Amino acid sequence: MLRSSSRKYVCWRCLSQTTKPAERALRKVALSSLPAASYALAGTTATATATATATASAFSRPSARCYSSSASPAEDSKASKDSASDLTRQSASNDDLLSPPPSGQPFRSIRDRLRIWEELNPDYITPIPDNENIPGSTMNSLTGSRTESAFKLELPGANDEAQQQNDLDSADLVDLGLAGQALQAGDLVEVGATGWRMRLLAICLGSFSGHNHFYTSTGKWFTSRDFRSGFVVKTFIKDPAELQPIIAALPSYTGDDIVLDELQELKAGPSRDVASSLIHKMYKFQTEARLVHQTYVERLSNAASRLSGPEKLMTIQEIADALLPHTLKRNKGSFSPEVLYAVYSVVYNDDIGFRALNRAARHQEAYLFSVNSTAVQSNIIRTEELLRNFYEVLGNSTKKISRASAADAIAFRDFILQARKVVDESRSLRPWSPHGLGTYKQHAADANSPQTPVGWSKVGTIVLDFMQYWSATNGFPPASRYHWVGGAILRAIGRYHGVLFSRGTGWAFLQEVGRLPPWDIPARYALRLPGIEHSKLSGLNLPLAEELKLPFELPPDQLKEIRQDFARSTVYCIDSANTLDVDDGISLEPVGDGKYWVHIHVADPASSIKPDHPFAERAALRGQSSYLAGFNEAMFNHEKIRDAFSLGANKPSLTFSAHVDEAGNLLDYKITPGVLRDVLYITPEDVDSVCGVSGQTENVPSTVLEVGAQPTGPPPRRMAKPGDLSRAQRTELQTLHRIAEGFRKARVAKGAVPSYPSRPRAYVSLDNVEAMSNMGDAIRCKGDPYIRVAYESPSGSQLVAQLMVLAGEVAARWCSERNIPIPYRIQLSSPDSMDELMKFSQEVVYPQLAEGKRISPEDSHKLRMLVGGFDMATKPRPLFSMGVDAYAKVTSPLRRYADLLAHWQIEAALLEEHRSGSTGSTTPSSTPPKLPFTAQALNEKILPFLKVRERYGKLIDNIDGNNTWIIQAVLRAWKGGEGADQLPKTFKLSVAFVAPQRYITGTLNYFDLWARMEVDDMGGVMRIADVRAGDVLEVELSDINVYDRTIRVKLLGKAAAA
């Protein structure tokens, strides 16, 4: 590398292009169909004046963090309209610069070439990538400094903060926290830094003032408020006394991020002498793991090929079983942590064969892995080969060029020319900007210009498949070397100027070439799990789901002979008018003395659809219905299943019955197969009206944002109104409300969360969107989605919510006393922390919720630490957050696979009890025979994958997907002019986290959106060192990125006190 005194670094390989005559002749043949200056194809612009820039930038291998030219978006728009023929123009001076000198003329030195290049490119500056650890971004992992002294623990990003905040905002009990089970002092963990290949071992010293403290194998002390680790060895240090000298030497126990960060910058912390025993044990552990790796290096190095085939989910234990001899297992039939860490280290760093599910909770203290299919692995290798051949042919490489390489270069060149044309046509319908794709240009002069049907060549399909894996699936970790491939493709496309050649730009490219709809949600692909292919046009009702192509033959009802007829009961199905899968209803049976049987009737598909039925197998892959706005996908995506099992007159049910009083006491319980006769559909709001409950909206923010034309929508199904009810029916609903309120109070007294804050929710309609026909392989749409963002109201939720919990409690108790393994929902909090959890919840957290406030980040973090997360297990445990001793989800078998699985187990037991004439309750120590699933099968083969499918489904529906729609609406109001009057000019940022000298994150007073402020955004108004968590700052929008779901703000000043 050489550096001019006034310019950035430029690689000499970019400028020295000496080739042999025979090789030049071969290139001439290979690129004969492209006019003279074909080298410009690899450039970053399509204009004649930038050809030299294009030539120089194209011939160096792009680094992991690729930048485009410094052209503005306006220049980009102009460049995008240039025809492909403009690429053939090249200056003679450039030809002289890049060609060997004629015979007899002196050869220019590299310095002379640099000077000439600078004269030809006065405005071309490629910034040197920085080494800052920006959570979630692609990092400069090739040229940046990588020393242990510069190592910084991986920090949570704004999206991680939003994910964890929402984890405590509902009673759904799907753990969305980063780490899963809370760490304890003495646990061994692997730690990393965003974008680094460097991974270190560390021992958790405990949690102090809300921060975990660690000591690494390199003798360095770290702290972290929220911690992410893919590998943990529990109780690695078994004697707590061994940690005491290190804990005593900690420089601070404060919870102040600023102080802790400064201490770590000063390399404070316990000395290596004090922690020598910990360092020795970590060194021994790592040495043994490396010995396993060295011994079985051939097996481990070929892990991806050994496990090749269709894509699949695997635990680290399953991968070790497949790769290593079973003689390595210990007496209990399991691999040692050292062996598992050796396997984990290999597959975690295999960018082609494996993807670590780092947003899923650990299973047996290690990440689950998605094993890429053989086709995906081959695609990555082939795409990189295409790119290398293309750039070698165009770059005058001294390496001999084969005819196969030349053919690759020609095929890739043809794809680039076609892609440019498709992108340009797309921009006649929708503009592009660094924020993302714009809205449909309905009234623009070129909006009705003809669109050419698109058909991609074999090479084009290969490249687009790679781009989708890179940018949509987010298939490579931040430090992967394969980011250069995606960046190089975007560089060759030459249509994205003034932005990073990042995954976000790749996402925009896929939308512009019609691979994805212009409003699609990245999380649908990034969080896609093996076995599921999302419909790209879901919501437009165009493609047929796979289930609809299968012949529908409903098997016989296995419980027909033992069903109870509930003809004398009115069953109240309380849900919105738009609900299609009606899977629960409630009825009341008075028994005198102020006591009642409350029957919770649940849809019963399990009685006919068995676990090995094709519909059930597809339901297992989905895990649950997806209710992501605009992309609803049912778990059972067949209308005939809905017609057969959605609750209604003469439909079967599995009924969970509780003998109760109005004080919230559960006196007895039973489970009965039933058939319903009198079914009444009513909304929660109308139930509130009948019960005299005022709407719980006083603490719900009234902020609303609407963009797009309001849809007409299909008419909702017919619902009963309060005036349609008889006196007896009104009395029953009022009694049910009193019973539900009694249970709510009893559970709150035992520690249950009294209420949950309202959350912003995006409602989306695609009614006004029209997919253009006859477009071949491209998706082109007229119109834009209607998006309405508002806070959800908890109105009417208590009656249904409390009685659904009652059904779950009945199911858990009934199964537990029979020793039936089902997916029980459990809480991971330590028994030692229960008293502290109760006190903190009732004195700090619950008063905030009662006032309708969202829990502060500090309190939320402490509560997560005390709660310890949620999980599924085959044995019940008390659930403090719900105030119950045992709980299982059973009320949505049409929408959740875990509920369906519980129904299969329960119904098998019911059939066995009917045959034997036993109630089952007198033999709690024995498992009823002939259950579909054993506890071992559930623990090893089903629950690990069911947990990750539920978790990822909730992330898509409630966190990532919902936030993406909200950010799309904000961007359309901010930059698109839709509903701009609804958007405030300035916002208040409540600071949640300060990364000293780097950035600030917090929530805006607008739909609780998370925002980020860099040091440069502070504009000298304040120093970042003066900002603390809890401060409220006045800011304005400076940037929105829909793909990354990030909002950047600019500081205006400190907000005035309210």
Side-chain angles (χ1 to χ4, degrees):
M1 302 290 285
L2 293 176
R3 193 211 314 240
S4 168
S5 60
S6 61
R7 303 303 301 274
K8 301 287 186 180
Y9 284 107
V10 179
C11 181
W12 66 271
R13 294 183 182 86
C14 301
L15 304 176
S16 59
Q17 314 286 338
T18 58
T19 57
K20 298 177 181 179
E23 293 170 355
R24 291 200 299 274
L26 177 58
R27 292 188 185 89
K28 184 175 181 181
V29 172
L31 304 174
S32 58
S33 59
L34 192 68
S38 57
Y39 301 142
L41 269 173
T44 58
T45 72
T47 60
T49 57
T51 304
T53 297
T55 308
S57 64
F59 303 143
S60 63
R61 173 186 170 187
S63 66
R65 194 172 187 178
C66 300
Y67 286 82
S68 76
S69 72
S70 56
S72 67
E75 292 168 332
D76 172 77
S77 177
K78 178 180 182 301
S80 68
K81 296 180 180 178
D82 294 339
S83 65
S85 63
D86 290 332
L87 297 169
T88 64
R89 291 179 288 175
Q90 184 172 4
S91 66
S93 59
N94 260 341
D95 288 332
D96 293 340
L97 172 65
L98 300 174
S99 302
S103 178
Q105 292 188 13
F107 191 88
R108 294 189 184 97
S109 69
I110 292 176
R111 291 187 180 276
D112 289 338
R113 292 173 177 235
L114 283 172
R115 293 189 187 98
I116 296 173
W117 186 87
E118 287 184 350
E119 292 173 0
L120 293 172
N121 299 273
D123 298 324
Y124 182 75
I125 297 177
T126 299
I128 299 175
D130 59 51
N131 300 317
E132 181 58 70
N133 289 350
I134 303 174
S137 66
T138 302
M139 303 305 299
N140 171 28
S141 60
L142 300 181
T143 64
S145 171
R146 291 292 178 265
T147 64
E148 291 179 359
S149 61
F151 185 92
K152 286 184 178 293
L153 195 67
E154 190 166 26
L155 296 173
N159 290 318
D160 292 329
E161 297 277 6
Q163 168 183 322
Q164 295 187 71
Q165 186 74 22
N166 280 275
D167 185 26
L168 298 168
D169 281 355
S170 75
D172 208 32
L173 297 184
V174 177
D175 189 357
L176 303 180
L178 284 178
Q181 188 170 359
L183 295 176
Q184 305 292 330
D187 292 347
L188 178 72
V189 301
E190 185 192 59
V191 298
T194 302
W196 288 36
R197 284 294 188 188
M198 185 185 298
R199 315 293 294 183
L200 301 178
L201 291 177
I203 291 175
C204 179
L205 302 176
S207 177
F208 306 96
S209 302
H211 285 253
N212 286 314
H213 290 242
F214 304 93
Y215 200 84
T216 73
S217 54
T218 59
K220 192 168 183 179
W221 162 70
F222 284 109
T223 69
S224 174
R225 203 161 49 87
D226 292 295
F227 181 70
R228 187 199 305 263
S229 179
F231 191 89
V232 177
V233 180
K234 301 297 290 182
T235 61
F236 180 74
I237 303 297
K238 296 179 173 55
D239 185 5
E242 190 174 352
L243 300 175
Q244 290 308 310
I246 300 95
I247 294 173
L250 293 177
S252 176
Y253 302 104
T254 182
D256 191 315
D257 296 307
I258 305 291
V259 173
L260 290 173
D261 192 83
E262 289 176 350
L263 288 171
Q264 291 171 74
E265 289 288 341
L266 294 171
K267 298 180 176 57
S271 68
R272 295 173 64 92
D273 291 337
V274 172
S276 59
S277 65
L278 301 189
I279 295 174
H280 175 74
K281 289 185 176 181
M282 286 186 280
Y283 175 77
K284 181 182 178 183
F285 178 90
Q286 199 160 36
T287 300
E288 292 180 6
R290 286 173 177 168
L291 180 60
V292 172
H293 186 193
Q294 293 166 3
T295 304
Y296 300 99
V297 63
E298 183 177 359
R299 296 184 182 216
L300 295 176
S301 298
N302 296 317
S305 60
R306 284 175 173 267
L307 299 172
S308 61
E311 63 175 351
K312 48 187 167 287
L313 279 178
M314 296 185 74
T315 66
I316 198 66
Q317 291 80 6
E318 289 176 329
I319 296 173
D321 266 331
L323 299 178
L324 298 177
H326 289 190
T327 54
L328 288 178
K329 291 186 175 182
R330 301 178 297 187
N331 294 334
K332 294 184 179 180
S334 60
F335 291 107
S336 69
E338 292 84 354
V339 172
L340 293 177
Y341 186 62
V343 177
Y344 169 86
S345 299
V346 170
V347 299
Y348 187 85
N349 289 295
D350 186 339
D351 295 350
I352 293 181
F354 301 88
R355 281 193 304 128
L357 302 186
N358 57 8
R359 295 188 70 184
R362 296 183 300 268
H363 171 66
Q364 295 182 359
E365 300 311 324
Y367 283 150
L368 272 72
F369 286 86
S370 174
V371 184
N372 284 334
S373 66
T374 303
V376 169
Q377 296 181 41
S378 300
N379 172 267
I380 296 169
I381 296 170
R382 177 58 178 147
T383 306
E384 185 178 34
E385 180 185 36
L386 280 168
L387 261 291
R388 289 188 181 280
N389 289 338
F390 176 72
Y391 279 102
E392 285 178 2
V393 169
L394 297 186
N396 287 339
S397 170
T398 57
K399 179 180 177 181
K400 184 177 180 180
I401 303 297
S402 67
R403 292 190 179 275
S405 298
D408 281 350
I410 292 173
F412 186 80
R413 175 212 58 189
D414 291 343
F415 163 73
I416 292 300
L417 292 175
Q418 182 185 10
R420 289 174 176 172
K421 180 180 178 181
V422 174
V423 168
D424 292 344
E425 285 192 356
S426 170
R427 293 182 185 180
S428 69
L429 296 176
R430 295 178 186 274
W432 170 83
S433 78
H435 306 292
L437 250 61
T439 54
Y440 175 67
K441 298 191 292 187
Q442 183 175 1
H443 303 294
D446 54 356
N448 295 317
S449 59
Q451 297 285 307
T452 306
V454 177
W456 299 106
S457 64
K458 181 179 179 181
V459 165
T461 301
I462 289 172
V463 175
L464 290 175
D465 286 345
F466 175 88
M467 293 297 285
Q468 183 163 329
Y469 181 79
W470 174 57
S471 61
T473 305
N474 201 1
F476 302 112
S480 173
R481 73 180 183 86
Y482 289 99
H483 290 293
W484 87 266
V485 179
I489 292 170
L490 293 173
R491 182 187 297 274
I493 295 296
R495 288 297 184 265
Y496 300 96
H497 309 290
V499 296
L500 285 172
F501 292 146
S502 64
R503 291 174 298 200
T505 309
W507 173 266
F509 168 69
L510 290 172
Q511 291 179 312
E512 292 202 283
V513 298
R515 219 8 154 53
L516 303 172
W519 57 79
D520 211 338
I521 304 297
R524 295 204 313 135
Y525 303 89
L527 295 175
R528 186 194 67 83
L529 294 170
I532 296 296
E533 290 296 336
H534 293 301
S535 168
K536 294 174 183 177
L537 287 173
S538 177
L540 294 179
N541 300 317
L542 293 180
L544 285 176
E546 289 299 318
E547 285 89 337
L548 298 181
K549 301 176 184 177
L550 296 174
F552 182 84
E553 295 181 5
L554 187 65
D557 180 3
Q558 301 294 314
L559 303 179
K560 182 178 180 180
E561 300 302 322
I562 58 175
R563 291 198 181 278
Q564 176 182 334
D565 195 324
F566 285 91
R568 292 187 296 175
S569 302
T570 297
V571 178
Y572 304 95
C573 294
I574 305 171
D575 219 326
S576 72
N578 297 318
T579 299
L580 297 177
D581 295 324
V582 182
D583 49 14
D584 57 68
I586 305 162
S587 68
L588 185 69
E589 180 185 345
V591 294
D593 296 328
K595 298 180 177 60
Y596 310 85
W597 277 101
V598 174
H599 304 294
I600 299 96
H601 308 277
V602 180
D604 191 11
S607 61
S608 296
I609 300 175
K610 309 316 285 182
D612 58 352
H613 193 281
F615 289 124
E617 291 174 350
R618 290 181 178 274
L621 288 176
R622 282 198 171 95
Q624 61 185 20
S625 295
S626 173
Y627 291 100
L628 173 62
F631 295 98
N632 288 0
E633 295 185 58
M635 186 177 77
F636 286 120
N637 199 15
H638 204 299
E639 290 184 0
K640 290 186 178 180
I641 291 182
R642 180 180 298 131
D643 293 341
F645 298 109
S646 190
L647 290 188
N650 305 315
K651 298 292 182 66
S653 74
L654 187 62
T655 299
F656 300 84
S657 302
H659 189 200
V660 302
D661 59 23
E662 294 187 14
N665 295 309
L666 178 57
L667 308 174
D668 197 4
Y669 48 86
K670 60 184 177 180
I671 301 178
T672 310
V675 59
L676 311 183
R677 303 301 182 188
D678 181 16
V679 178
L680 185 146
Y681 305 102
I682 188 169
T683 65
E685 293 77 14
D686 285 336
V687 169
D688 274 354
S689 174
V690 170
C691 298
V693 178
S694 59
Q696 304 173 36
T697 58
E698 61 271 13
N699 292 321
V700 178
S702 59
T703 309
V704 175
L705 174 63
E706 288 184 282
V707 294
Q710 290 193 6
T712 55
R717 58 196 174 93
R718 187 180 181 280
M719 308 292 284
K721 295 297 181 182
D724 301 330
L725 304 183
S726 67
R727 178 178 297 180
Q729 290 171 336
R730 297 173 69 91
T731 300
E732 284 187 341
L733 284 174
Q734 291 164 0
T735 302
L736 286 169
H737 171 75
R738 291 195 303 272
I739 292 171
E741 183 63 16
F743 273 97
R744 187 192 70 81
K745 292 178 179 178
R747 290 168 184 152
V748 168
K750 294 176 64 175
V753 180
S755 62
Y756 292 92
S758 59
R759 292 185 293 179
R761 173 68 65 177
Y763 166 76
V764 178
S765 171
L766 302 180
D767 289 356
N768 298 321
V769 175
E770 176 189 355
M772 300 172 66
S773 58
N774 301 319
M775 289 304 303
D777 295 336
I779 298 171
R780 291 280 186 265
C781 296
K782 296 181 178 181
D784 294 288
Y786 165 77
I787 309 174
R788 183 182 189 274
V789 185
Y791 283 87
E792 288 183 309
S793 171
S795 174
S797 63
Q798 284 302 317
L799 188 155
V800 176
Q802 294 300 329
L803 295 185
M804 294 305 109
V805 172
L806 180 60
E809 187 176 7
V810 166
R813 290 192 179 199
W814 192 90
C815 291
S816 177
E817 70 180 11
R818 290 164 172 78
N819 204 19
I820 298 174
I822 62 172
Y824 296 97
R825 307 291 166 150
I826 65 170
Q827 194 163 316
L828 299 174
S829 51
S830 169
D832 297 336
S833 66
M834 290 306 297
D835 290 341
E836 184 181 0
L837 175 58
M838 174 72 81
K839 181 178 179 181
F840 181 73
S841 297
Q842 294 185 342
E843 295 181 3
V844 178
V845 177
Y846 295 170
Q848 296 181 55
L849 294 175
E851 296 176 10
K853 296 179 180 178
R854 191 168 297 277
I855 307 172
S856 69
E858 293 79 10
D859 292 339
S860 176
H861 172 72
K862 183 174 181 179
L863 183 61
R864 284 198 306 273
M865 298 288 288
L866 292 172
V867 167
F870 302 102
D871 203 352
M872 278 190 280
T874 54
K875 294 288 185 182
R877 285 174 58 179
L879 258 174
F880 170 83
S881 298
M882 298 186 72
V884 295
D885 295 327
Y887 179 70
K889 291 185 178 181
V890 293
T891 58
S892 297
L894 292 174
R895 296 185 279 186
R896 277 194 303 260
Y897 185 77
D899 300 41
L900 182 66
L901 192 155
H903 279 222
W904 282 322
Q905 299 286 83
I906 291 169
E907 293 181 4
L910 285 170
L911 284 172
E912 181 66 20
E913 290 180 8
H914 175 69
R915 284 191 291 265
S916 65
S918 169
T919 64
S921 59
T922 58
T923 57
S925 60
S926 61
T927 300
K930 300 181 182 179
L931 290 176
F933 305 99
T934 65
Q936 182 179 0
L938 288 176
N939 285 323
E940 296 179 2
K941 301 295 183 182
I942 297 176
L943 294 191
F945 309 110
L946 182 57
K947 286 187 285 189
V948 72
R949 292 187 185 280
E950 275 200 4
R951 179 185 173 97
Y952 273 36
K954 288 300 177 184
L955 286 173
I956 294 173
D957 292 357
N958 296 349
I959 312 296
D960 295 13
N962 186 58
N963 289 350
T964 301
W965 279 123
I966 296 174
I967 290 174
Q968 280 195 38
V970 174
L971 177 61
R972 285 168 62 177
W974 182 45
K975 290 294 185 181
E978 299 182 69
D981 56 328
Q982 305 173 66
L983 198 66
K985 300 298 182 184
T986 65
F987 304 84
K988 287 182 173 60
L989 177 73
S990 298
V991 177
F993 178 73
V994 179
Q997 304 176 23
R998 285 172 282 174
Y999 62 87
I1000 295 169
T1001 60
T1003 55
L1004 299 176
N1005 62 332
Y1006 194 73
F1007 297 122
D1008 302 313
L1009 291 169
W1010 282 83
R1012 179 187 181 96
M1013 183 161 53
E1014 307 283 345
V1015 173
D1016 293 344
D1017 298 319
M1018 302 188 73
V1021 177
M1022 290 178 65
R1023 297 189 312 143
I1024 195 170
D1026 296 330
V1027 180
R1028 293 289 185 272
D1031 287 350
V1032 180
L1033 308 177
E1034 187 174 4
V1035 298
E1036 64 180 3
L1037 298 177
S1038 66
D1039 183 56
I1040 293 177
N1041 188 300
V1042 174
Y1043 174 83
D1044 292 324
R1045 306 190 316 280
T1046 55
I1047 297 176
R1048 278 186 64 173
V1049 293
K1050 180 180 178 182
L1051 181 63
L1052 299 177
K1054 198 162 186 176

